[in-house]
Amino acid sequence: MALEHTGAEAARPFVEKAGATFPTVIDEEGLTSTLLGFKLVPNGVLVDGDGTIRYAKYSGFSIDKPDDVAAVARFLEGKDPGPGSQKKAPYTLGEAEQELVATKLRLGRLLDSLGRRDEAIAEWQAALRLDPENLVIRKQIWVARYPEKFHPTIDWDWQKVQLEKEKQEEVASGVCGPDGCPLPGYSRMRP
Amino acid sequence: MAIAKVAQVGDPLPNITLPTLNGGELALDELRGKRVLIFFWGSW
């Protein structure tokens, strides 16, 4: 499941390089992020035969990590895969806000597919202001605005600096508080 | 204010239909009947 708000083709080189034999599904609107509540990838989710989620590790899941592979192996043997980890954001979106985020992501995708990238970025930024800890959205905006930082190689050091810079700007502009996003009482409920 | 519903461990996987890279579509309910790992990633 590749999250690619700027279109499916971004995923293709990685899938081909990996020689993936399993189906690759593309989430161009951040639907899965909304429905499962994760804010970053890579994630591993294990689902049993009746469609029940049995394990979720959000952020940092890798087939190169022995613990993650062991969880999958236990699950395939019919055993308990273990606890996984579902990091909680410091806030929970309200139903109406979540719907608004989803709508803005969908509209952004539509505008981007029509070649109206500036308008798409504006919608994605509006979604990010509602869900400022969502790094899936934040990074999609970076991909659209700063493609040279992602192709031909991903500049991870730049991402760290950029994230810090944006967080400081968000504190300065009042979107976030000094202890994170969003400010308490900023129309959200804390869990 | 109602809190947005998020599927947790123990909940059913939401059934959404998404495009596949090879031009088809996959409804997540089609995965029923076997144990599956869904790996979420991005090219970024």
Side-chain angles (χ1 to χ4, degrees):
Chain A
M1 178 82 69
L3 283 95
E4 304 290 350
H5 294 210
T6 54
E9 286 312 307
R12 192 177 301 279
F14 293 85
V15 173
E16 286 176 355
K17 193 178 168 203
T21 53
F22 43 83
T24 296
V25 186
I26 310 292
D27 180 356
E28 295 186 346
E29 300 172 356
L31 268 177
T32 54
S33 164
T34 298
L35 292 169
L36 297 174
F38 60 77
K39 308 287 184 192
L40 186 58
V41 297
N43 307 323
V45 171
L46 295 168
V47 184
D48 71 16
D50 71 4
T52 304
I53 301 168
R54 292 298 176 200
Y55 166 100
K57 182 176 174 186
Y58 294 150
S59 179
F61 181 91
S62 170
I63 55 161
D64 295 325
K65 289 184 181 167
D67 286 354
D68 295 346
V69 173
V72 175
R74 282 195 297 275
F75 181 66
L76 293 178
E77 288 166 12
K79 297 175 190 161
D80 180 0
S85 74
Q86 292 175 272
K87 274 191 205 161
K88 290 264 187 249
Y91 54 84
T92 304
L93 292 181
E95 225 170 74
E97 286 172 316
Q98 187 65 277
E99 190 62 37
L100 190 52
V101 168
T103 302
K104 291 197 170 294
L105 294 178
R106 200 174 308 136
L107 181 55
R109 175 68 211 128
L110 177 65
L111 288 165
D112 196 51
S113 69
L114 296 171
R116 293 158 66 176
R117 176 150 281 181
D118 289 349
E119 291 166 84
I121 289 172
E123 295 300 332
W124 291 329
Q125 282 176 325
L128 182 63
R129 275 196 296 277
L130 289 161
D131 191 3
E133 295 284 343
N134 194 321
L135 276 157
V136 177
I137 303 173
R138 193 180 291 274
K139 288 200 181 192
Q140 300 305 303
I141 295 169
W142 291 349
V143 171
R145 288 182 69 186
Y146 312 106
E148 72 281 4
K149 303 296 184 190
F150 294 86
H151 304 286
T153 56
I154 299 173
D155 187 341
W156 297 103
D157 290 335
W158 176 86
Q159 291 196 16
K160 269 187 220 161
V161 173
Q162 184 68 13
L163 180 62
E164 193 52 40
K165 189 177 141 209
E166 291 183 8
K167 292 265 180 189
Q168 282 174 8
E169 284 167 3
E170 284 158 17
V171 171
S173 66
V175 173
C176 305
D179 298 325
C181 301
L183 289 168
Y186 183 65
S187 79
R188 292 178 186 78
M189 299 176 76
R190 290 189 173 247
Chain B
M1 185 176 72
I3 292 175
K5 191 159 167 39
V6 168
Q8 314 272 355
V9 170
D11 290 341
L13 184 71
N15 181 35
I16 51 172
T17 300
L18 292 169
T20 62
L21 194 57
N22 60 18
E25 278 192 341
L26 181 78
L28 296 186
D29 269 4
E30 289 172 39
L31 301 171
R32 289 196 179 198
K34 50 194 170 187
R35 298 187 182 107
V36 292
L37 164 65
I38 306 178
F39 178 61
F40 295 83
W41 62 285
S43 65
W44 32 272

